[in-house]
Amino acid sequence: MARARPLTRQALSVQSFFRRLKDNSLSIVLFALFAVCLVGHSVASWHLHNQQLAAHGQAAVDYWKSLLGSSYLEELASNWQAAFLQLASLILFSGFLYQRGAPHSRNPDKVRDTRKKRAENARFPWLYRHSMSVAFLSLFALTFVVHTTSGYFAWNEHRALLHLSPLTLRDFLLSAKFWSSTLETWQAEYLTIALFIVFSVFLHEQDSAESKPVEASAKETGKAND
């Protein structure tokens, strides 16, 4: 029987490429969708901004200048900070709160085992043990600052178009406009994650790592698909 010929270096490289593509396909697709939506949003925001300028008798701006404008940055940061807050909340709250039947909750009947595990993990540095929550809280803080500052400049730019005097950052932070847009995004994110947790108790998605196995009962907690 003839022996199989060894793969060439080029063939091994192609095989390795497709292996990495498969291993990271979930993040690749999600980042690709993010990029498509980001470009689409930037174009739509550019046209909307020019429509608003035209309504006030102002000259249109080009696409690249629009990308650096405070209005566009406010729109981006407003949604990003809410999304980062949502995940940071889920990561932190799931450390000590429970939802029986949810695959993303610890089992409330195994508190002792969890405490024992926590004691065993104490040998790792604090930052290592809490790196995920620190990362998302840091992203939230960064985008919240960008949202606040860009929103402040965008607000005063809008007031200038109406021939109104600029207001201070403190005025903006205490304004109904700031908290209306901020809480609008926060409530949507919290509703989404709350519904996800509750629906995951009794609804299923076969083969999804975000769902319990199809045969799992509504009381089975903390077990996602293998």
Side-chain angles (χ1 to χ4, degrees):
M1 185 175 179
R3 297 175 59 184
R5 296 178 59 185
L7 295 175
T8 64
R9 180 176 298 179
Q10 183 178 7
L12 286 171
S13 178
V14 172
Q15 188 180 62
S16 176
F17 169 77
F18 282 105
R19 177 65 184 181
R20 289 195 298 271
L21 195 65
K22 178 182 177 181
D23 289 347
N24 300 284
S25 56
L26 181 58
S27 60
I28 290 172
V29 169
L30 291 175
F31 276 120
L33 289 172
F34 162 74
V36 171
C37 294
L38 182 66
V39 172
H41 172 233
S42 67
V43 173
S45 179
W46 171 47
H47 285 293
L48 177 61
H49 184 50
N50 280 335
Q51 290 172 7
Q52 293 172 340
L53 290 175
H56 291 90
Q58 302 291 318
V61 298
D62 61 39
Y63 173 74
W64 297 109
K65 185 175 181 179
S66 174
L67 286 184
L68 299 176
S70 53
S71 296
Y72 178 65
L73 291 177
E74 180 192 17
E75 292 173 3
L76 278 185
S78 175
N79 288 300
W80 289 7
Q81 54 92 14
F84 293 141
L85 176 64
Q86 175 207 70
L87 287 176
S89 299
L90 178 61
I91 293 166
L92 287 171
F93 293 158
S94 62
F96 58 90
L97 300 177
Y98 306 91
Q99 180 59 57
R100 183 176 294 278
H104 288 277
S105 170
R106 294 181 298 120
N107 192 330
D109 296 330
K110 295 183 178 180
V111 178
R112 286 186 179 179
D113 293 343
T114 302
R115 290 175 179 172
K116 181 180 178 181
K117 190 72 174 180
R118 186 182 297 128
E120 292 174 352
N121 289 337
R123 67 183 186 277
F124 295 104
W126 182 92
L127 188 59
Y128 180 85
R129 288 181 281 125
H130 300 282
S131 54
M132 184 174 288
S133 60
V134 169
F136 277 99
L137 286 173
S138 299
L139 287 170
F140 165 69
L142 175 62
T143 50
F144 186 81
V145 170
V146 175
H147 170 220
T148 302
T149 53
S150 59
Y152 166 66
F153 286 115
W155 189 40
N156 276 331
E157 288 174 4
H158 179 69
R159 288 180 63 84
L161 291 175
L162 300 176
H163 306 290
L164 298 173
S165 60
L167 297 179
T168 65
L169 179 60
R170 179 178 179 276
D171 293 330
F172 177 68
L173 288 174
L174 296 177
S175 70
K177 179 187 183 304
F178 174 74
W179 286 109
S180 174
S181 61
T182 300
L183 293 176
E184 178 185 13
T185 56
W186 288 6
Q187 55 88 13
E189 297 293 343
Y190 279 128
L191 175 63
T192 300
I193 201 67
L195 288 175
F196 169 68
I197 292 297
V198 173
F199 285 173
S200 69
V201 173
F202 53 88
L203 300 181
H204 306 271
E205 185 59 45
Q206 183 171 308
D207 300 326
S208 173
E210 301 302 313
S211 168
K212 293 186 296 185
V214 174
E215 69 275 8
S217 69
K219 291 184 179 180
E220 192 168 336
T221 307
K223 184 178 180 182
N225 275 318
D226 295 329

